[in-house]
Amino acid sequence: MTKYLLAIATVVLLALNLLVGSVHIPLGDIVDILRGHEVANPGYRYIILESRLPQAITALLTGAALATCGLMLQTMFRNPLAGPSVFGIDSGASLGVAIVILAMGGSVITGMGTLSGLMAILISAFLGALLVMIVLLWAAERVRSNVMLLIVGIMTGYLVSSAIVLLNFFATEEGVRSYMIWGMGNFSGVPLSHLPTYTFIILMCLVIALLMVKPLNQLMLGEQYAEGLGLNVRRFRIQLLMVTGILTATSTAYCGPIAFIGLAVPHIARILFHHTDHRHLLPVTMIMGSIVALLCNLVCSIPFSGSVIPLNALTPFIGAPVVIYVILKDKNQ
């Protein structure tokens, strides 16, 4: 029953993301546009097809991707505070963007009007995230302990963050401003022309994640027990890091570093569903991630005001209380 309610909530929020915005568009016109029919105001077609629809689909996919990364990492490292940001993958993307912004003197801004500026941000962010992911995969080959690998990830994140601080120190005022805007996060970074590629990468990784539910369940029983059941823990750890790395790198490159969704949503799914079996928990976590992302995107729009709240100004209001609740609950047990 919970799954059906979550599915209905996802559809409703997706529809609201198309309906609500700074420009009022009648519901009938939205339906006609989606069906490919002509409407009286040609501007409505541009707003729906070039802005609201790609933004809603991006939020749907990105929320599911980040939530999936969070759940898989928390299961692998048996740590409720593990998430995509802990391993510095999104920090790697931020480093790539910081380098480009410094090199271009602040002329690159997220939401850029030029294709060259957009591609510069995307390529640099993806390469930065890929670099950190390679370091983690290299460490995973040489470190047997999950705790030690977690420490390597955290230290890598700190090193990358230090490099970003230095780059921003030497950047121009416009460069710092550009980096700040990108770092606020938004779901409008995927243009319609890039949406098929973005959708394919995210969905492919999500399907692979769903195929990993059996070893994830085995890991819940402990590494030694999982190895006794025939699971090659080291190889599976590398596979898991590759999937979570690609998901995080792709979403961060397009949407910026989005806080708390990957960390908090798996806990929300556990609280609502009361289940530890990943055959059920993983799909619910994906849906919950989409719901939270769509809800944040809807609230950020501030209907009829013409302004947009930064995404990372809103996600901590949802994620931080959940994380605090989980910490206090574990302490009392």
Side-chain angles (χ1 to χ4, degrees):
M1 187 64 179
T2 305
K3 292 181 181 179
Y4 295 115
L5 291 176
L6 292 177
I8 292 171
T10 304
V11 174
V12 170
L13 283 170
L14 189 62
L16 287 174
N17 272 264
L18 297 178
L19 181 63
V20 176
S22 57
V23 177
H24 174 67
I25 302 177
L27 178 60
D29 286 351
I30 295 176
V31 174
D32 287 339
I33 291 170
L34 295 177
R35 294 173 61 189
H37 298 167
E38 295 295 328
V39 293
N41 190 335
Y44 289 168
R45 177 178 294 276
Y46 178 85
I47 292 172
I48 295 297
L49 297 182
E50 298 290 337
S51 178
R52 292 188 189 176
L53 182 61
Q55 198 167 334
I57 294 176
T58 300
L60 182 81
L61 294 171
T62 305
L66 295 176
T68 298
C69 291
L71 177 62
M72 293 174 72
L73 291 171
Q74 288 167 14
T75 300
M76 166 60 76
F77 295 99
R78 303 174 67 86
N79 189 323
L81 299 180
S85 59
V86 172
F87 289 90
I89 299 174
D90 54 358
S91 295
S94 301
L95 176 61
V97 173
I99 292 173
V100 169
I101 289 175
L102 178 62
M104 295 189 175
S107 61
V108 180
I109 301 176
T110 299
M112 311 110 337
T114 63
L115 180 61
S116 60
L118 173 64
M119 291 308 298
I121 289 291
L122 295 180
I123 293 172
S124 62
F126 194 84
L127 289 177
L130 185 63
L131 177 63
V132 174
M133 191 169 66
I134 290 172
V135 172
L136 291 175
L137 291 173
W138 174 83
E141 283 280 3
R142 288 158 176 78
V143 177
R144 290 192 60 87
S145 171
N146 279 337
V147 175
M148 294 304 295
L149 182 59
L150 183 63
I151 293 172
V152 169
I154 293 172
M155 292 302 103
T156 302
Y158 277 128
L159 288 172
V160 172
S161 298
S162 297
I164 293 171
V165 172
L166 287 173
L167 285 172
N168 277 291
F169 178 78
F170 290 107
T172 62
E173 182 179 346
E174 183 63 26
V176 175
R177 179 178 178 275
S178 299
Y179 179 78
M180 278 187 58
I181 292 174
W182 179 83
M184 289 177 181
N186 69 88
F187 293 126
S188 60
V190 183
L192 188 61
S193 58
H194 290 213
L195 193 59
T197 302
Y198 186 80
T199 302
F200 173 77
I201 294 173
I202 298 297
L203 288 181
M204 179 185 66
C205 290
L206 291 179
V207 170
I208 294 173
L210 288 171
L211 296 175
M212 300 169 78
V213 293
K214 183 177 179 180
L216 285 170
N217 279 337
Q218 292 173 343
L219 281 175
M220 291 288 293
L221 303 173
E223 284 190 35
Q224 292 183 346
Y225 191 86
E227 289 178 346
L229 293 174
L231 177 65
N232 187 327
V233 174
R234 179 175 291 187
R235 185 174 65 185
F236 177 70
R237 186 170 60 183
I238 293 172
Q239 293 170 349
L240 185 145
L241 285 175
M242 288 184 65
V243 172
T244 56
I246 293 171
L247 285 172
T248 305
T250 304
S251 59
T252 304
Y254 277 95
C255 306
I258 299 173
F260 279 103
I261 289 181
L263 179 60
V265 169
H267 295 299
I268 298 175
R270 293 187 187 99
I271 292 169
L272 292 178
F273 197 63
H274 301 292
H275 217 301
T276 58
D277 187 345
H278 284 75
R279 290 176 299 176
H280 306 287
L281 183 60
L282 184 56
V284 170
T285 300
M286 290 180 180
I287 298 173
M288 279 301 308
S290 296
I291 289 174
V292 171
L294 286 168
L295 179 61
C296 289
N297 189 57
L298 184 64
V299 175
C300 285
S301 298
I302 312 180
F304 316 118
S305 70
S307 58
V308 177
I309 297 176
L311 187 61
N312 280 333
L314 182 63
T315 52
F317 284 100
I318 297 175
V322 174
V323 175
I324 292 171
Y325 168 79
V326 170
I327 293 173
L328 294 177
K329 181 181 177 183
D330 289 344
K331 184 177 180 181
N332 292 330
Q333 287 180 349

